[in-house]
Amino acid sequence: MTLSERTWVGIGLAGQFFFTMRFVVQWIATERKRRSVIPESFWYFSIFGSLILLVYSLYRKDPVFILGQAFGTTVYVRNLFFIHKEKKDAAASPME
């Protein structure tokens, strides 16, 4: 395996690490609350993992992986948009 190939495998593994961490974060939050929850950090790990895996899939020229990661990234960014909008709206009207 060449240095370039090892580097790309490392990039792919880094993306997979972030993807795995989001499940760890979600599991810990759920156990603490004793009910299913999705904390904000879940979406950040999802975006980081998805973007890194998207770069890796572009290098590997895998159309299935590229489409899957591109769509997932869009969903994760949209979820964070709603989370931040909700916080902003709550701060603007604290009496509700």
Short mmCIF file of all heavy atoms in Angstrom, two decimals, residues 24-39 41:
data_model
loop_
_atom_site.label_atom_id
_atom_site.label_comp_id
_atom_site.label_asym_id
_atom_site.label_seq_id
_atom_site.Cartn_x
_atom_site.Cartn_y
_atom_site.Cartn_z
N VAL A 24 -22.46 7.08 20.12
CA VAL A 24 -22.03 7.04 21.52
C VAL A 24 -22.66 8.19 22.29
O VAL A 24 -23.20 8.01 23.39
CB VAL A 24 -20.48 7.06 21.62
CG1 VAL A 24 -20.04 7.23 23.05
CG2 VAL A 24 -19.89 5.79 21.00
N VAL A 25 -22.63 9.40 21.70
CA VAL A 25 -23.21 10.58 22.34
C VAL A 25 -24.72 10.38 22.55
O VAL A 25 -25.26 10.66 23.62
CB VAL A 25 -22.94 11.84 21.48
CG1 VAL A 25 -23.81 13.00 21.91
CG2 VAL A 25 -21.47 12.21 21.56
N GLN A 26 -25.39 9.88 21.53
CA GLN A 26 -26.84 9.67 21.62
C GLN A 26 -27.15 8.61 22.69
O GLN A 26 -28.09 8.77 23.47
CB GLN A 26 -27.37 9.24 20.25
CG GLN A 26 -28.89 9.29 20.14
CD GLN A 26 -29.57 8.06 20.66
OE1 GLN A 26 -29.03 6.96 20.62
NE2 GLN A 26 -30.78 8.23 21.18
N TRP A 27 -26.37 7.58 22.73
CA TRP A 27 -26.61 6.51 23.72
C TRP A 27 -26.42 7.04 25.14
O TRP A 27 -27.25 6.79 26.03
CB TRP A 27 -25.66 5.35 23.43
CG TRP A 27 -25.79 4.18 24.35
CD1 TRP A 27 -26.92 3.72 24.98
CD2 TRP A 27 -24.74 3.32 24.77
NE1 TRP A 27 -26.63 2.62 25.74
CE2 TRP A 27 -25.30 2.35 25.62
CE3 TRP A 27 -23.38 3.27 24.49
CZ2 TRP A 27 -24.54 1.35 26.21
CZ3 TRP A 27 -22.64 2.25 25.08
CH2 TRP A 27 -23.22 1.32 25.92
N ILE A 28 -25.35 7.78 25.40
CA ILE A 28 -25.10 8.34 26.73
C ILE A 28 -26.23 9.28 27.14
O ILE A 28 -26.73 9.22 28.27
CB ILE A 28 -23.73 9.05 26.78
CG1 ILE A 28 -22.61 8.02 26.66
CG2 ILE A 28 -23.59 9.87 28.05
CD1 ILE A 28 -21.23 8.62 26.44
N ALA A 29 -26.66 10.15 26.21
CA ALA A 29 -27.75 11.09 26.51
C ALA A 29 -29.04 10.35 26.83
O ALA A 29 -29.78 10.72 27.75
CB ALA A 29 -27.94 12.05 25.35
N THR A 30 -29.32 9.31 26.08
CA THR A 30 -30.53 8.52 26.31
C THR A 30 -30.48 7.83 27.66
O THR A 30 -31.47 7.83 28.41
CB THR A 30 -30.70 7.47 25.19
OG1 THR A 30 -30.95 8.17 23.97
CG2 THR A 30 -31.85 6.52 25.47
N GLU A 31 -29.33 7.26 28.01
CA GLU A 31 -29.21 6.60 29.32
C GLU A 31 -29.36 7.59 30.46
O GLU A 31 -29.99 7.27 31.48
CB GLU A 31 -27.85 5.88 29.40
CG GLU A 31 -27.73 4.69 28.49
CD GLU A 31 -28.68 3.55 28.83
OE1 GLU A 31 -29.04 3.39 30.01
OE2 GLU A 31 -29.09 2.83 27.90
N ARG A 32 -28.83 8.78 30.31
CA ARG A 32 -28.94 9.79 31.38
C ARG A 32 -30.38 10.24 31.58
O ARG A 32 -30.82 10.47 32.69
CB ARG A 32 -28.06 10.99 31.07
CG ARG A 32 -26.59 10.72 31.28
CD ARG A 32 -25.77 11.96 31.01
NE ARG A 32 -24.36 11.67 31.27
CZ ARG A 32 -23.36 12.44 30.86
NH1 ARG A 32 -23.61 13.54 30.17
NH2 ARG A 32 -22.13 12.11 31.12
N LYS A 33 -31.10 10.42 30.48
CA LYS A 33 -32.49 10.90 30.55
C LYS A 33 -33.49 9.76 30.76
O LYS A 33 -34.66 10.02 31.03
CB LYS A 33 -32.86 11.65 29.26
CG LYS A 33 -32.07 12.90 29.00
CD LYS A 33 -32.62 14.06 29.75
CE LYS A 33 -31.86 15.31 29.35
NZ LYS A 33 -32.39 16.49 29.98
N ARG A 34 -33.03 8.56 30.57
CA ARG A 34 -33.89 7.38 30.67
C ARG A 34 -35.01 7.44 29.63
O ARG A 34 -36.11 6.92 29.83
CB ARG A 34 -34.47 7.22 32.07
CG ARG A 34 -33.42 7.23 33.18
CD ARG A 34 -32.39 6.16 33.06
NE ARG A 34 -32.95 4.83 33.28
CZ ARG A 34 -32.32 3.71 33.00
NH1 ARG A 34 -31.11 3.77 32.48
NH2 ARG A 34 -32.89 2.56 33.22
N ARG A 35 -34.79 8.13 28.50
CA ARG A 35 -35.70 8.16 27.36
C ARG A 35 -34.88 8.52 26.13
O ARG A 35 -33.78 9.08 26.24
CB ARG A 35 -36.83 9.16 27.55
CG ARG A 35 -36.36 10.60 27.68
CD ARG A 35 -37.55 11.57 27.85
NE ARG A 35 -37.08 12.92 28.09
CZ ARG A 35 -36.69 13.75 27.13
NH1 ARG A 35 -36.75 13.39 25.88
NH2 ARG A 35 -36.25 14.97 27.42
N SER A 36 -35.39 8.23 24.95
CA SER A 36 -34.63 8.48 23.72
C SER A 36 -34.50 9.98 23.45
O SER A 36 -35.51 10.69 23.41
CB SER A 36 -35.32 7.81 22.54
OG SER A 36 -34.57 8.02 21.37
N VAL A 37 -33.27 10.45 23.32
CA VAL A 37 -33.03 11.86 23.01
C VAL A 37 -31.92 11.97 21.96
O VAL A 37 -31.09 11.08 21.82
CB VAL A 37 -32.60 12.67 24.26
CG1 VAL A 37 -33.71 12.73 25.26
CG2 VAL A 37 -31.35 12.09 24.87
N ILE A 38 -31.92 13.08 21.24
CA ILE A 38 -30.86 13.35 20.27
C ILE A 38 -30.26 14.70 20.63
O ILE A 38 -30.84 15.75 20.36
CB ILE A 38 -31.40 13.36 18.83
CG1 ILE A 38 -31.98 12.00 18.48
CG2 ILE A 38 -30.29 13.73 17.85
CD1 ILE A 38 -32.58 11.89 17.11
N PRO A 39 -29.08 14.72 21.26
CA PRO A 39 -28.45 15.98 21.65
C PRO A 39 -27.83 16.69 20.43
O PRO A 39 -27.56 16.07 19.41
CB PRO A 39 -27.37 15.55 22.64
CG PRO A 39 -27.09 14.13 22.31
CD PRO A 39 -28.34 13.56 21.74
N SER A 41 -24.87 17.77 19.94
CA SER A 41 -23.55 17.26 19.53
C SER A 41 -23.67 16.08 18.57
O SER A 41 -22.76 15.84 17.76
CB SER A 41 -22.73 16.87 20.76
OG SER A 41 -23.41 15.90 21.52
#
